[in-house]
Amino acid sequence: MKPQPKKPTLAINGGPKALTKDAGDIFKWPIVTKADENAVLDVLRRGAMSGTDITKHFEKEYADWMGMKFALGYCNGTESLRAAMWACGLGAGDEMICPSVTYWASCTAALTLGAAVNFAEILPDTLCIDPKDIEHRIGPRTKVIMVVHYCGYPCDMDPIMKIARKHKLKVIEDVSHAHGGRYKGKMLGTMGDIGAMSLMAGKSLAIGEAGIMVTNNRDLYERCVAYGHYERTGLPSNFNAVDRSIFNPALNKFAGLPLGGYKHRMNQTCSAMGREQLKHYDRRMAEIQAAMNRFWDLLDGVPGLKAHRPPANSKSTMGGWYAARGLYRAEELGGLSCEKFCAAVRAEGFGGCSPGANMPLHTHAVFHEADLFNMGKPTMISFGQRDVRQGPGSLPVAESIREIAYSIPWFKHDRPAIIKAHAQAYRKVAEHADEVR
Ligand SMILES: *Cc1c(COP(=O)(O)O)cnc(C)c1O
């Protein structure tokens, strides 16, 4: 008898695909109902797109949802972060510490304030800022620590807040990936001095092109109002009882003009949709968490693959699990590259699997060479800042992001059969890694 040639197992080698069923609407987001449509249409019919009456209701509801005193709506998350930096006193010649792996909007506005960004390392198991890589970066002009709850994972806030209080620094939480997520039971965005976040159409709380900031600090709130909400400077809000008496004389004299020269208000088609989306968010988020936890439970113990989620019973959660990632450990798979692993998963029928996340920012030319103010010098050093620029090799974990992380399906509904089929695609490739190499 002639030996039969071994049939390939993996689809990338011509074997059968793990995933053949149509995914249906399991990935569709946001969930838009008639109520969203009616809310937006009402704004259009009233011609109320540019006002603030609906936005103020949304702000009040958002602040209540987060258990915060103040919320301020923005045209996008990028601007909420710029305003937060300015409100926290970041100015020309200052420094802000920020993780290198994040979306650029977490820190790029610092340059427009004449400040430098001192990039910190991330942890390979959380993909969030490494609290041990913060303190030695603090200099005489450091004003702000920016933390990002990256891909939904809550940053380790306790040591970060301790360092910040010791050195009298402000902490801004970029919550753009983690609306509704919790750290040891506390909602993300409520532990730093300001929480600022995107609410754009791709995020887990998606209301259009919008952003919002929250704080318990009236002074920071008023500074944000003065910076880009010029028509509200010095005015009491009808919706926040606690800010009825807002009259900060130092800022009030600027009323009518935005101190930053920015126009920051939210389009009210977004705030109208936001009011509707917020009503359902906790329930929809809980379903996402059930689905994503189901996916990871199915992959428990598979070599090379590690869940990107806090330990069970830690009271820390992943919020809406935005930009969901898995952790990759090539050494458990005989050195198979993350890139090749992902290509094999795509061949199994899930096209959304790719290596990495956001590319590290500390090596980007904007933070080395860009001269925003035409001063004949890179902005990172043109206002007398220390030169904190860092080249390749300085933050090895951040620089290895394409080898340690990959995208996974972001399920919006907890449907066991389809989730199981997706988990099977990842499991199959990991268990047959030798066939890929
Ligand atoms: C999306 C995002 C932002 C920017 O928000 P926009 O609404 O797109 O301006 C900021 N930070 C992070 C981490 C983001 O993912």
Side-chain angles (χ1 to χ4, degrees), residues 75-81 102-106 148-150 174-177 196-200 203 208-211 322 358:
C75 48
N76 57 50
T78 303
E79 290 309 311
S80 72
L81 287 155
T102 181
Y103 183 67
W104 57 263
S106 302
V148 186
H149 305 293
Y150 196 65
D174 183 345
V175 197
S176 302
H177 291 190
M197 66 210 84
S198 174
L199 301 169
M200 56 79 81
K203 297 282 152 67
E209 193 73 89
Y322 174 74
N358 291 110

Side-chain angles (χ1 to χ4, degrees), residues 147-433:
V147 301
V148 186
H149 305 293
Y150 196 65
C151 295
Y153 202 106
C155 288
D156 195 1
M157 292 303 290
D158 284 346
I160 295 169
M161 292 310 297
K162 217 167 145 187
I163 294 164
R165 293 307 172 233
K166 180 175 156 198
H167 295 273
K168 299 194 164 52
L169 306 181
K170 293 271 192 290
V171 172
I172 302 172
E173 292 176 71
D174 183 345
V175 197
S176 302
H177 291 190
H179 317 82
R182 284 173 192 272
Y183 171 76
K184 299 183 180 175
K186 292 183 197 138
M187 201 182 265
L188 303 179
T190 65
M191 290 163 278
D193 297 278
I194 292 184
M197 66 210 84
S198 174
L199 301 169
M200 56 79 81
K203 297 282 152 67
S204 65
L205 184 50
I207 72 170
E209 193 73 89
I212 200 160
M213 74 76 98
V214 295
T215 183
N216 282 327
N217 182 321
R218 179 184 294 194
D219 184 55
L220 294 178
Y221 170 74
E222 288 182 5
R223 283 174 64 79
C224 283
V225 169
Y227 193 58
H229 295 267
Y230 61 101
E231 81 286 18
R232 293 168 66 172
T233 307
L235 291 183
S237 157
N238 297 324
F239 296 94
N240 259 331
V242 283
D243 65 308
R244 266 179 202 290
S245 60
I246 282 181
F247 279 103
N248 180 339
L251 296 170
N252 207 16
K253 64 178 172 221
F254 302 118
L257 262 63
L259 259 172
Y262 290 104
K263 188 180 176 191
H264 275 161
R265 74 182 172 218
M266 189 185 284
N267 180 326
Q268 295 213 105
T269 54
C270 295
S271 32
M273 181 169 168
R275 295 189 73 190
E276 187 56 36
Q277 288 288 316
L278 192 57
K279 287 183 205 162
H280 308 283
Y281 185 66
D282 283 333
R283 182 173 42 79
R284 289 173 182 165
M285 177 177 68
E287 174 138 11
I288 290 173
Q289 290 187 4
M292 298 304 294
N293 279 317
R294 178 185 298 283
F295 176 81
W296 279 122
D297 291 347
L298 287 164
L299 292 173
D300 194 30
V302 174
L305 309 186
K306 204 171 159 195
H308 183 237
R309 61 175 171 178
N313 310 321
S314 61
K315 289 195 181 162
S316 295
T317 68
M318 296 288 285
W321 227 298
Y322 174 74
R325 288 293 183 285
L327 304 172
Y328 191 73
R329 300 297 176 251
E331 64 276 13
E332 294 173 20
L333 296 174
L336 177 69
S337 75
C338 189
E339 183 121 30
K340 283 187 179 163
F341 171 82
C342 291
V345 173
R346 290 197 297 275
E348 293 298 331
F350 178 61
C353 182
S354 55
N358 291 110
M359 289 305 284
L361 294 169
H362 67 280
T363 49
H364 197 284
V366 162
F367 296 100
H368 283 260
E369 294 166 35
D371 177 9
L372 276 62
F373 295 91
N374 271 327
M375 293 170 74
K377 268 192 194 180
T379 301
M380 281 282 280
I381 53 167
S382 56
F383 291 91
Q385 307 98 313
R386 297 186 301 176
D387 190 351
V388 294
R389 293 176 294 177
Q390 299 174 83
S394 49
L395 301 175
V397 183
E399 288 166 42
S400 73
I401 188 73
R402 282 178 65 82
E403 288 131 54
I404 62 169
Y406 51 90
S407 46
I408 57 164
W410 184 20
F411 301 110
K412 313 306 189 310
H413 302 279
D414 186 20
R415 295 182 186 139
I418 190 87
I419 293 169
K420 201 171 162 195
H422 282 78
Q424 182 54 23
Y426 284 76
R427 169 186 286 273
K428 191 179 155 195
V429 175
E431 287 179 347
H432 295 86

